[in-house]
Amino acid sequence: MSGFFKSSIGRKVAMALSAFFLMFFLIIHLAVNITSVFSEDVFNELSHFMGTNPAVQFALQPVLIFGVVFHFVMGFVLELKNRKALGVSYAKNNGAANSTWMSRNMIYSGLVILAFLVLHFIDFWIPEINVKYIKGDMSGMHGGEYRYFHEIVAKFESPTRVVAYVVSFILLALHLLHGFTSAFQSMGSTAGRKKALQKFGKIYSFIIPLGFIIVAVYHHFNHH
Amino acid sequence: MSGKGMNLTLKIWRQKDAQSKGKMQTYKVNDISEHMSFLEMMDVLNEQLIAEGDEPVAFDHDCREGICGMCSLYINGEAHGPDRGVTTCQLHMRMFNDGDTIYIEPFRAAAFPVIKDLVVDRSAFERIQQAGGYISVNTSGNTQDANAIPISKHAADEAMDAATCIGCGACVATCKNSSAMLFVGAKVSQYALLPQGQIEAADRVKNMVAQMDLEGFGNCTNTGACEIECPKGISLDNIARMNRELIKASVK
């Protein structure tokens, strides 16, 4: 079995498995975030639960971080191996004649998402770790009320941050548009090539980034 | 087109031998009939070059009826040129217009080194086939009649579709990763779908994929370009089947 994951196909399967996990995570993340548009209280409660529940913090969070790191490290490894497999570049190459822009540029949409994750960690994750595990304040409170909603509103005050987030989410949509169906193919399933799943993949790739864009833009224009 | 043929500018990769560095060179051909095949146009160019005392352009060709898999060429940025479902020998000059500039390059991949001009060494495909692309039949004298083994129409059709792969290498040439997975997927599938192929199925897929990796082909990223450029229309489903076969063989 260890030989399997060293083979070209094994690496594709590993890439697809981590992709499925991350695509599932995106649904959870958006489900929590979108509540901030409808209810400050619900968002605060959910954020506090996610931020303090030991199972989420010490079991799911490490798995998630491993999944993210694995996906992009493997992405780089595959990209480097693929570049090594190429011969002399063509003087004229008409890639658009037989494939989509998204499928040919996963490494670039991926790099933008990675850059976004760095920004996102600096914005939210590092301050959270600082408050909870360095300062040791697990109350989730600030000035007598939950801090989570106020933090998200404060972050999206900056128009540059909102623009950076929106651009990243557009690239995420392009990444998902190819990645969703591609993952099925790598797992050995032709389901990703069937109409129904292609339609579902398109809807997913559109709805998830759009949801995150709505959250960022909504709080930018609705800060109290 | 009435009467007069096309005048074309050709930009062709010239390379003396495997060791030399090559470069693109420009040639002119005149009065090319739209009814010619692309290789006949190349023949006209070579006759012209020979008459002028120049070295003719080396390119692979054999049957010239789209079945042997010898002809290659990356024409105007596409394997076997702009037409669909054809090899270069079946590509007609009517796909081009008078005054066009046509880029003609060898199939590119680290695993397909150029031997001379437009001729590349595709023996990596042979070695992948030798690693498992066969069935062992006991020929002791009491061999079972193949027709006595029932095979569903659906499986027979899919196996036949996979078996139409002529091993030309267009999939590798067109792939942004120089992946050979459409070729190997087809070769694995044509046996995986039939009862005769079951006995050696696990070893076959393992050995063929291992040889494919050893030859230095890239990893499939499912762009689907190979399926579109394949002169035989080999389906991407064959890559999914190969992945499935390898997963199955590895968990055993």
Side-chain angles (χ1 to χ4, degrees):
Chain A
M1 203 66 199
S2 71
F4 172 71
F5 283 110
K6 279 192 191 122
S7 74
S8 51
I9 292 172
R11 289 202 183 94
K12 285 172 44 156
V13 170
M15 200 66 186
L17 282 172
S18 56
F20 278 126
F21 172 69
L22 294 176
M23 287 192 287
F24 178 71
F25 161 73
L26 283 178
I27 297 174
I28 308 290
H29 195 336
L30 179 62
V32 172
N33 284 21
I34 204 79
T35 61
S36 69
V37 171
F38 306 109
S39 161
E40 184 175 336
D41 292 339
V42 174
F43 178 71
N44 277 331
E45 290 290 340
L46 283 173
S47 299
H48 189 65
F49 172 77
M50 290 295 202
T52 54
N53 183 286
V56 175
Q57 285 292 297
F58 302 114
L60 293 183
Q61 186 164 260
V63 172
L64 173 64
I65 291 173
F66 174 78
V68 172
V69 172
F70 180 86
H71 193 72
F72 75 72
V73 168
M74 188 55 104
F76 286 135
V77 168
L78 288 172
E79 178 70 17
L80 290 176
K81 284 197 166 285
N82 290 341
R83 290 199 175 193
K84 224 179 107 194
L86 296 177
V88 174
S89 332
Y90 288 113
K92 185 169 181 179
N93 197 4
N94 189 3
N98 48 43
S99 54
T100 62
W101 185 92
M102 289 87 82
S103 71
R104 293 194 306 275
N105 293 283
M106 289 298 272
I107 187 73
Y108 299 110
S109 53
L111 277 170
V112 173
I113 296 163
L114 179 59
F116 162 79
L117 282 178
V118 172
L119 173 69
H120 191 54
F121 263 53
I122 294 170
D123 276 354
F124 293 99
W125 193 77
I126 292 174
E128 273 295 300
I129 296 294
N130 183 34
V131 169
K132 288 186 304 202
Y133 303 115
I134 295 172
K135 290 186 179 157
D137 178 8
M138 299 295 283
S139 69
M141 309 293 262
H142 185 78
E145 50 183 352
Y146 270 135
R147 58 186 169 81
Y148 307 106
F149 186 80
H150 296 299
E151 280 170 3
I152 190 173
V153 170
K155 286 289 182 214
F156 289 123
E157 241 176 80
S158 151
T160 20
R161 183 177 282 110
V162 174
V163 169
Y165 272 54
V166 169
V167 169
S168 306
F169 292 136
I170 292 170
L171 268 297
L172 174 66
L174 295 174
H175 198 76
L176 289 171
L177 269 173
H178 176 67
F180 185 90
T181 47
S182 175
F184 284 91
Q185 174 81 4
S186 293
M187 294 292 299
S189 164
T190 53
R193 312 226 309 131
K194 303 280 188 303
K195 272 228 163 67
L197 212 61
Q198 284 195 336
K199 205 179 260 178
F200 181 80
K202 273 187 189 144
I203 294 169
Y204 173 88
S205 312
F206 184 69
I207 295 277
I208 296 283
L210 183 69
F212 286 116
I213 288 175
I214 287 172
V215 172
V217 172
Y218 176 84
H219 291 299
H220 179 67
F221 289 109
N222 269 285
H223 48 82
H224 316 277
Chain B
M1 288 284 295
S2 57
K4 242 185 115 43
M6 291 178 268
N7 297 335
L8 302 165
T9 303
L10 308 174
K11 290 190 179 289
I12 301 178
W13 181 263
R14 298 306 305 264
Q15 184 173 331
K16 194 164 163 273
D17 51 41
Q19 285 73 39
S20 309
K21 257 187 94 145
K23 64 170 196 295
M24 298 297 286
Q25 270 187 23
T26 308
Y27 300 93
K28 298 250 182 216
V29 282
N30 295 325
D31 204 21
I32 296 296
S33 160
E34 61 170 352
H35 304 299
M36 279 183 188
S37 81
F38 199 85
L39 294 186
E40 283 165 341
M41 183 278 292
M42 293 295 288
D43 293 338
V44 169
L45 169 71
N46 276 346
E47 278 167 20
Q48 188 180 307
L49 288 175
I50 291 165
E52 289 164 1
D54 286 336
E55 174 100 5
V57 180
F59 61 90
D60 269 327
H61 61 105
D62 193 2
C63 76
R64 297 211 179 195
E65 53 187 11
I67 198 63
C68 74
M70 266 317 277
C71 62
S72 53
L73 306 189
Y74 212 69
I75 301 159
N76 271 351
E78 287 184 76
H80 297 296
D83 209 354
R84 293 284 172 257
V86 295
T87 51
T88 297
C89 62
Q90 299 167 298
L91 177 69
H92 281 94
M93 291 313 292
R94 66 182 70 100
M95 293 298 291
F96 302 90
N97 297 310
D98 186 32
D100 276 2
T101 297
I102 306 174
Y103 282 75
I104 308 166
E105 299 174 74
F107 279 1
R108 298 287 193 194
F112 284 173
V114 172
I115 297 169
K116 183 181 168 65
D117 294 337
L118 302 170
V119 178
V120 298
D121 178 1
R122 285 170 281 182
S123 57
F125 272 14
E126 305 295 329
R127 292 187 290 274
I128 294 171
Q129 274 291 73
Q130 286 156 12
Y134 52 79
I135 54 162
S136 304
V137 177
N138 185 345
T139 52
S140 57
N142 50 6
T143 309
Q144 188 180 8
D145 185 339
N147 290 323
I149 305 168
I151 297 166
S152 79
K153 171 86 171 105
H154 184 68
D157 284 351
E158 281 201 313
M160 191 61 204
D161 285 348
T164 56
C165 167
I166 53 176
C168 66
C171 46
V172 173
T174 207
C175 177
K176 69 179 267 289
N177 310 317
S178 297
S179 169
M181 288 198 190
L182 193 67
F183 167 76
V184 184
K187 296 302 173 197
V188 164
S189 288
Q190 73 183 57
Y191 298 112
L193 285 156
L194 300 176
Q196 291 92 333
Q198 298 312 309
I199 301 130
E200 292 151 306
D203 285 342
R204 174 180 306 114
V205 68
K206 277 186 184 171
N207 294 341
M208 290 180 83
V209 169
Q211 188 64 34
M212 169 181 83
D213 292 349
L214 196 67
E215 297 289 349
F217 291 105
N219 303 275
C220 173
T221 50
N222 306 317
T223 69
C226 53
E227 177 187 55
I228 302 216
E229 296 295 344
C230 174
K232 298 296 157 189
I234 300 293
S235 165
L236 276 187
D237 290 355
N238 291 298
I239 300 184
R241 186 178 295 106
M242 170 180 62
N243 295 351
R244 219 153 54 224
E245 287 290 315
L246 189 72
I247 294 170
K248 217 162 68 184
S250 301
V251 293
K252 254 183 195 164

